Amino acid sequence: MSFFRRLAVAVTLSGLAGCGQPPAAPAPWLWTVADLQARAASGQTAVAADATLPGGIPLAQILSDGTLFARPSLADRYSGSYVTTEVWVGYPEVWVQPMYVPVSGWMDGAPVVIADPATGVWKPVFSVGPSSGFYSPFWRAIYFDAPAGTTADTFTSTKQILDAGLPLHEGAGWTIPIVPADLAWGNPAARLETGWVDGAPVATLNFGKRLFTWDAADGVVDEIPMFVFVTHDATGVRVVPNLRIVLGTGAVGSGGPPPPTSGPQPLYSSYWRLYTVEIPPSAVVFPDAAAVTSPEYGGRLVTTPDCLSNPDNIDPEACSYLDSQQAIEQAVPREAIRATDVTVTGPVVTYKNGSPIMPVL
Amino acid sequence: MRRGGLGLAMVLLVASRASAQTDAPADAAEPINDSQGYTPPAEGAGAPSPLVINGYVDVGFAKAQGNGTSFAPGDQRVPADYGVDPFAPAVNSRGDVASTDAGGRFVNGFLPRSAGIGGNASFLLNTLDVDLKYTPAATPLMVFSRVQLLPRFTGAGDDTRVYVEQAFGRWVPFESQELALSVGKFDSVFGIEYLDNESNIRTGVTPSLVARYTTGQSLGAKLFYRIQLPAIWSAVSLNLAATNSGTFVEALQPPDASLTGAPVGSGRLGYELNAAAVQVKLGASGMFGPRNDQGQQAVHQRAFGLDARVAFHGIYLSAEYVRVDEGEGGPKTTSLGTFPLASGFWVRGGYGQLAYALPWSIGLLHKLTVYGRYDRRHAWFQGFTPITVDRFTGGVRLDLGDSVLLKAEYVANRELAGAPAVANNVFTSSLVYSF
């Protein structure tokens, strides 16, 4: 065997030697609204199907008729709904990113934001675009004192603003996903706006401020649990039945404190980690027949099925439902509540049996 | 950086070491001796020791502007190391920077090693290098190791390392051929800047802005072959390697283990013209294989480079262009730790350097060399703001006797696009004792 052939064999064998290695960790993945639309257009029916959430998230529960689907849910015992704008898989955490906003001055401590005269709405400069793995729709407003003559289109990139050396003032956290410009949207829970990323205009959905908190030291956005009920099929495989998701109001194990409010309106989180909840053996699904006359209870799990024998006595005073974080954590053992590797942006758009959520602007 | 850095107006000067830079296997610790002088017996009395110990001590003194990093005040983006060039404020030949302190902001592993001095002027013990070379008599084998002690202090305490930079055996199977096979941990084969890795060899102090992609040592096998074409005063060489991590520096990709189970191939095809009046060396390099900062074999990195060196009338000019593409992979692992995500990454960059050694010596001053270099780098992480930076470097080197070098240079960094301007220029110097 020639020297060169021996070398080639040695190199080949060194490559084969790696075949016995354990499989590599899967890549973390982020899907934005544009990614989700593209996935649906390609014929896919679910996202995060390889995650630890059985079956992933059906795309039909995210997108519908060219817009975002308001998925029915439960929170604090009431029916509500939320939309999904981002899905992360394999991200242990996501980070708040800065969003720069020009102001012409300050009035009683509040910034006087420079708006686009055509729309009367601001045009923030977002620091990270949606094609980055580190994009997040959770923005910390950084107001900067703009020089005279500044318009909403004067500053369009982070470099421009920082190089100008203007005074910066930190503000609240805003939930503003960057979305495709042609996204249909008519829900009052968010306002269609525009902004800038690296000098290019982008379309956004502004769900308002105060919908998340973050660690001031490292910028990590705090997670709130979203509970997904799971059971086992005849073959023992875990499956997700078509039940309403329950939105938490505090960290897992906290018992579900009341959410913060803005006036009478609750401010539910917009960032969630999905947790699977094993359905207790004693629980049953609220009967479809009864849901005809009491639709607000449809899709709920009842842990005291005996109460259903009296249709006039099914309210929460008589029946126990798994319809809040508090109820779940009281009725389900902690070991039956498991974190998945899926997190989502899910701003709540209705609450208390259909009342619309309005953005805090 | 502060504008108004040094222009290339500095006249740049030579490198008498131009002639010492050949395409010979760079891991050979000494130049090939082709003189016709006395040859001691290979064995027995009078034979040279088969074991040779060499090395150097590199003592630096540096002062960086600002806080010693490229992180701009007021920039809250994360990862902090994606929107700037953290490698810009280099203070020594290893590419260590004055600081990598991001002020608590999240970083994702695009970081050099840090000298930990921030914006303070400080002495540094950059490297204590010990080289062992063992050449058994009558055997076409050479065993070489390069172990380095790297005393460092960070804000969190002592961070000193003992680093095995090279350890390999080289076999030259045919006396009649310039063919060498090396197995172990050895220098890169990509481009030309790896030839200047060690501070006792490098003309200046700091590496270029693209050195991080081309000058890393790695573990694997390497083949060097050169054929002389005396009729046209030329030679053609080929240098090929299959290694764990390719040619990136260890701060970016760990060289000591394959994270994917598949090797990374790299190589350089070189041509050299050795005419009496001018020497020209040209090369084209490539690198392809899985990213070794994550675990998926299907996630590739590829690099392409061109290099040129010209020496004439005492002037030595070198230039290099590098293009790197990396796919998006899984969780990231570098020699500095683990990070959430190996983002897709692209860079195009290069440098040109001109040097001139004044043709006289006075007493202990054997040589005085002035040099200048211009670097430019355009890079972007997937979905992140593309950044363009450049750098002017100018300096002087004094060769004092045969074993002492004194070098001083000023590094003027500029952020041209994407990255916010920041004060990150550096004055640095290096006193190198060789033994």
Side-chain angles (χ1 to χ4, degrees):
Chain A
M1 187 183 288
S2 70
F3 170 78
F4 289 103
R5 182 164 296 178
R6 288 198 302 272
L7 176 68
V9 169
V11 170
T12 304
L13 289 175
S14 73
L16 294 175
C19 294
Q21 287 205 339
W29 207 259
L30 160 64
W31 287 272
T32 64
V33 173
D35 300 326
L36 295 165
Q37 285 183 330
R39 192 170 177 83
S42 70
Q44 299 289 317
T45 58
V47 66
D50 297 329
T52 53
L53 178 68
I57 304 174
L59 284 169
Q61 295 178 357
I62 298 176
L63 300 168
S64 175
D65 298 328
T67 189
L68 301 174
F69 176 66
R71 186 178 183 188
S73 60
L74 297 165
D76 285 338
R77 297 185 160 185
Y78 292 102
S79 296
S81 63
Y82 68 95
V83 295
T84 302
T85 56
E86 282 83 17
V87 178
W88 289 266
V89 173
Y91 278 77
E93 50 203 19
V94 303
W95 297 265
V96 64
Q97 296 279 12
M99 163 186 90
Y100 298 91
V101 181
V103 298
S104 58
W106 295 80
M107 187 173 295
D108 299 330
V112 180
V113 172
I114 296 175
D116 182 350
T119 62
V121 176
W122 68 357
K123 295 176 76 172
V125 178
F126 300 98
S127 58
V128 180
S131 56
S132 168
F134 292 98
Y135 158 81
S136 98
F138 307 111
W139 308 99
R140 179 198 323 214
I142 308 289
Y143 300 101
F144 62 95
D145 297 334
T150 297
T151 71
D153 298 332
T154 302
F155 292 90
T156 62
S157 74
T158 300
K159 177 175 172 60
Q160 267 186 309
I161 295 161
L162 296 180
D163 284 357
L166 302 167
L168 305 175
H169 311 272
E170 294 191 359
W174 294 72
T175 302
I176 307 179
I178 295 175
V179 298
D182 60 355
L183 177 72
W185 182 259
N187 194 310
R191 194 166 70 184
L192 265 176
E193 298 178 349
T194 61
W196 300 99
V197 176
D198 291 335
V202 292
T204 63
L205 275 183
N206 185 351
F207 287 93
K209 56 188 174 184
R210 299 180 57 199
L211 299 183
F212 65 92
T213 57
W214 68 92
D215 186 324
D218 57 15
V220 173
V221 179
D222 296 325
E223 300 173 359
I224 299 295
M226 177 182 276
F227 299 103
V228 181
F229 294 107
V230 296
T231 186
H232 299 263
D233 67 11
T235 62
V237 174
R238 290 206 316 163
V239 295
V240 178
N242 187 24
L243 298 170
R244 292 193 184 207
I245 274 176
V246 177
L247 306 178
T249 51
V252 168
S254 67
T261 58
S262 173
Q265 178 176 286
L267 295 173
Y268 293 108
S269 176
S270 58
Y271 180 58
W272 310 92
R273 179 167 297 278
L274 275 59
Y275 283 74
T276 58
V277 179
E278 298 281 346
I279 298 175
S282 61
V284 299
V285 180
F286 190 80
D288 290 343
V292 173
T293 54
S294 302
E296 67 272 25
Y297 294 110
R300 298 191 194 205
L301 284 170
V302 186
T303 57
T304 53
D306 291 346
C307 73
L308 297 174
S309 58
N310 181 359
D312 296 328
N313 195 24
I314 58 172
D315 63 36
E317 300 303 320
C319 290
S320 294
Y321 297 94
L322 295 180
D323 55 4
S324 69
Q325 180 178 358
Q326 182 183 43
I328 289 172
E329 293 186 342
Q330 286 178 349
V332 179
R334 180 63 185 87
E335 60 270 21
I337 303 173
R338 299 191 190 102
T340 72
D341 57 357
V342 181
T343 60
V344 298
T345 308
V348 174
V349 295
T350 64
Y351 75 114
K352 279 203 172 177
N353 302 330
S355 301
I357 290 275
M358 303 302 290
V360 179
L361 301 174
Chain B
M1 93 156 217
R2 298 294 182 206
R3 311 268 173 183
L6 295 182
L8 256 186
M10 314 190 80
V11 186
L12 315 172
L13 317 182
V14 167
S16 51
R17 76 185 178 55
S19 60
Q21 275 197 338
T22 73
D23 281 340
D27 45 47
E30 297 175 350
I32 294 173
N33 184 348
D34 58 358
S35 78
Q36 298 301 309
Y38 167 72
T39 301
E43 297 179 84
S49 169
L51 178 64
V52 177
I53 302 176
N54 296 112
Y56 65 90
V57 176
D58 178 357
V59 181
F61 179 80
K63 167 75 173 76
Q65 289 182 324
N67 63 2
T69 74
S70 291
F71 304 122
D75 186 0
Q76 298 295 321
R77 295 173 294 171
V78 293
D81 46 348
Y82 272 32
V84 301
D85 184 5
F87 288 72
V91 296
N92 62 22
S93 294
R94 314 188 64 80
D96 297 353
V97 296
S99 174
T100 54
D101 184 357
R105 289 161 61 203
F106 162 69
V107 293
N108 194 49
F110 188 67
L111 292 173
R113 297 279 179 180
S114 171
I117 62 173
N120 297 323
S122 178
F123 288 101
L124 300 165
L125 183 49
N126 291 316
T127 305
L128 166 55
D129 176 285
V130 178
D131 300 343
L132 302 180
K133 187 172 74 168
Y134 180 71
T135 309
T139 304
L141 178 69
M142 187 266 286
V143 181
F144 179 78
S145 70
R146 170 166 285 155
V147 177
Q148 298 177 326
L149 304 179
L150 308 171
R152 297 290 184 272
F153 183 82
T154 70
D158 181 72
D159 192 32
T160 296
R161 291 189 300 147
V162 177
Y163 183 57
V164 180
E165 190 183 78
Q166 296 192 40
F168 64 90
R170 193 182 71 195
W171 179 43
V172 181
F174 310 113
E175 284 190 17
S176 60
Q177 301 288 323
E178 283 188 82
L179 174 67
L181 174 65
S182 302
V183 178
K185 188 176 184 183
F186 43 74
D187 256 334
S188 166
V189 299
F190 192 109
I192 53 176
E193 196 173 1
Y194 72 88
L195 296 165
D196 281 353
N197 271 349
E198 306 308 319
S199 58
N200 62 334
I201 296 175
R202 179 178 288 276
T203 302
V205 179
T206 58
S208 78
L209 290 176
V210 295
R212 74 197 80 167
Y213 312 112
T214 65
T215 63
Q217 296 82 15
S218 192
L219 189 54
K222 176 166 74 169
L223 176 74
F224 173 79
Y225 181 66
R226 178 163 54 187
I227 184 168
Q228 299 288 343
L229 306 170
I232 54 173
W233 307 289
S234 298
V236 175
S237 62
L238 182 65
N239 217 345
L240 298 173
T243 60
N244 285 337
S245 58
T247 60
F248 282 52
V249 296
E250 54 90 28
L252 293 179
Q253 292 196 16
D256 295 321
S258 173
L259 304 188
T260 66
V264 180
S266 55
R268 177 178 181 271
L269 179 64
Y271 165 80
E272 53 192 276
L273 170 66
N274 293 302
V278 63
Q279 289 82 48
V280 178
K281 297 180 180 179
L282 307 172
S285 302
M287 185 262 288
F288 180 78
R291 288 181 67 156
N292 202 46
D293 58 355
Q294 54 85 56
Q296 300 181 48
Q297 276 188 14
V299 176
H300 289 136
Q301 57 184 353
R302 55 175 60 85
F304 171 73
L306 296 171
D307 58 78
R309 287 167 287 172
V310 178
F312 64 102
H313 298 298
I315 296 175
Y316 188 76
L317 171 67
S318 58
E320 190 166 3
Y321 168 80
V322 178
R323 169 187 173 133
V324 179
D325 302 328
E326 289 188 296
E328 185 171 33
K332 185 176 186 178
T333 302
T334 76
S335 294
L336 295 170
T338 58
F339 304 92
L341 175 65
S343 301
F345 177 69
W346 298 266
V347 63
R348 284 90 178 94
Y351 66 89
Q353 176 170 298
L354 192 59
Y356 181 71
L358 300 179
W360 42 258
S361 64
I362 305 172
L364 191 61
L365 176 59
H366 284 195
K367 189 167 56 180
L368 188 155
T369 305
V370 293
Y371 60 90
R373 187 180 66 214
Y374 176 73
D375 301 31
R376 190 178 180 94
R377 174 178 172 273
H378 177 65
W380 64 103
F381 288 94
Q382 182 171 345
F384 230 79
T385 307
I387 70 169
T388 304
V389 298
D390 73 355
R391 173 197 274 176
F392 294 93
T393 302
V396 61
R397 162 177 158 160
L398 307 178
D399 287 45
L400 304 172
D402 293 328
S403 54
V404 179
L405 301 176
L406 178 60
K407 300 183 275 189
E409 73 182 32
Y410 191 76
V411 179
N413 292 301
R414 297 193 304 176
E415 293 72 34
L416 302 179
V422 61
N424 59 353
N425 295 346
V426 175
F427 165 78
T428 186
S429 59
S430 173
L431 181 61
V432 184
Y433 310 95
S434 298
F435 57 88

